[in-house]
Amino acid sequence: MLRFLIAVIRRDILLAARRRGDWLTAQFFFVMVVSLFPLGIGPEPSMLRSIGPGVVWVAALLATLLSLGRLYAEDHRDGTLEQLMLTPYPHALLGLGKAIAHWIINGIPLLLIAPVLGIQFNLPADALAILVLSLAIGTPILSLLGSIGAALTLGLRGGGALVTLLILPLYVPALIFGAGAVEGAMSGTGSEAHLSLLGAFLLMSLLIAPWVSALALRVSVE
């Protein structure tokens, strides 16, 4: 089962490396959305510092949503998904592998870009560190929950809009805890509580999301 999981992750990463434009679109979107806020609001340091964590987190959330449409679509179109589901391994492993690959392809670049973009909002060094840590815990949640929406809307017309309607409410706790951790670090109240809740949300998503994605895949493929 472990070899099957690694094979799914490796395959998606290799395909993404051959189609760089697909995943680079989400990264450019993330950079553009975050960079536009300082230009529109103005150079007031205190204002930028107060909205910075929320802006970065919202942009990361939207960039993840933008990339979810390709999670299963290409494999479904060429018949690969049906072949993968015929293997003797649990379908939850397929959903987990797809979500991990999605996070590696889309989530890790966000972690690398976020500190540079956070400087635009005059965030101090300790707040930047908490921002990266909160994104490191929170972006896997976005990929895991997003895999459920991508599986439920597989093959449907207008699936991108449906994914947004289905999954966006589930993203709200991650957004609140992630941005709250950075704000707590800046205000001096501490970020441990928010990070702990974010970690618990990640653990719950890791245990539940692959199985729900597997059920949704069965329904969509059949």
Side-chain angles (χ1 to χ4, degrees), residues 24 77 98-99 111 123 218 221:
L24 283 175
R77 191 175 297 115
K98 287 281 188 180
L111 299 180
L123 295 180
R218 289 197 202 101
V221 171

Side-chain angles (χ1 to χ4, degrees), residues 58-77:
V58 168
L61 187 152
L62 294 176
T64 302
L65 282 174
L66 186 64
S67 62
L68 287 177
R70 296 182 296 273
L71 192 60
Y72 297 107
E74 294 296 329
D75 290 341
H76 183 254
R77 191 175 297 115

Side-chain angles (χ1 to χ4, degrees), residues 23-68:
W23 63 271
L24 283 175
T25 301
Q27 313 308 321
F28 281 121
F29 177 83
F30 176 65
V31 172
M32 289 172 59
V33 169
V34 176
S35 300
L36 285 174
F37 273 86
L39 297 175
I41 293 175
E44 178 60 35
S46 59
M47 175 66 74
L48 292 176
R49 195 180 301 115
S50 64
I51 68 169
V55 169
V56 174
W57 256 95
V58 168
L61 187 152
L62 294 176
T64 302
L65 282 174
L66 186 64
S67 62
L68 287 177

Side-chain angles (χ1 to χ4, degrees), residues 200-220:
F201 194 22
L202 172 59
L203 181 59
M204 184 175 64
S205 301
L206 191 60
L207 293 174
I208 296 174
W211 298 99
V212 179
S213 298
L215 293 173
L217 281 176
R218 289 197 202 101
V219 173
S220 298

